Each structure stands twice: as structure tokens, then as C-alpha cells.
Amino acid sequence: MYINKVMKKIIEWLKSLFRKEFLITVYRSGDSSHVYKSEYNALKLFVTKPNHLKFRDSDGKMIELRSAVGLDYKIEEL
């Protein structure tokens, strides 16, 4: 049983060497010219268009952001 746990940890470590992770920063403008910043850690990007952003976050949730006037976002590879 202990060997199985060790093997799982080794396999996860090996996967992490080849997995890309992204930091996505989304800027939104609110009332009276306030700008709000949201940050997400993403494991996989599905759609990166000017009006549509879809990705899977580090918790495994699917996040989808849309805007009719366009999204202001920045994607950085970690």
C-alpha cells in the first residue's frame, strides 16, 4: 500500500515536469472608471479570442468569459 502512494507521487511529479500552467489576468472596467483585476491559474486553454476566453483552472473547473465589447486580458506561461 505504501508503494502505491509513492508511485502515485512519482507519477504526478513526472507529469508536472511536462504540464504547462498559465496565469490569466482579466481587467474589467466598472462604474466611475474603476478597473477591477481578476487572476486565474489555468492548466489548459480552449478558446482565446478577443471576445471569448475559455479555460480550465487549477481546481479543474471550466471557466468561460465573454464580452460583447471585447475582453482585456493577459496570459502568461508559468
Side-chain angles (χ1 to χ4, degrees):
M1 194 137 84
Y2 177 74
I3 294 173
N4 287 340
K5 289 182 181 180
V6 172
M7 288 300 290
K8 282 184 179 181
K9 286 185 179 184
I10 291 172
I11 290 170
E12 285 299 316
W13 177 75
L14 284 172
K15 285 182 181 179
S16 72
L17 293 176
F18 300 103
R19 184 183 306 157
K20 292 182 181 179
E21 192 170 338
F22 303 95
L23 176 65
I24 300 175
T25 307
V26 179
Y27 301 96
R28 297 183 182 124
S29 58
D31 297 335
S32 67
S33 71
H34 287 272
V35 176
Y36 299 99
K37 179 172 96 170
S38 301
E39 292 186 342
Y40 303 94
N41 286 328
L43 298 178
K44 186 167 185 179
L45 302 173
F46 294 102
V47 179
T48 56
K49 295 182 179 178
N51 294 342
H52 187 198
L53 184 62
K54 186 175 182 179
F55 58 92
R56 185 171 306 279
D57 71 353
S58 59
D59 295 331
K61 295 182 205 170
M62 187 70 75
I63 308 288
E64 186 169 3
L65 304 170
R66 291 179 183 246
S67 175
V69 295
L71 292 169
D72 188 18
Y73 61 87
K74 177 174 64 170
I75 299 174
E76 299 176 48
E77 187 175 340
L78 301 177

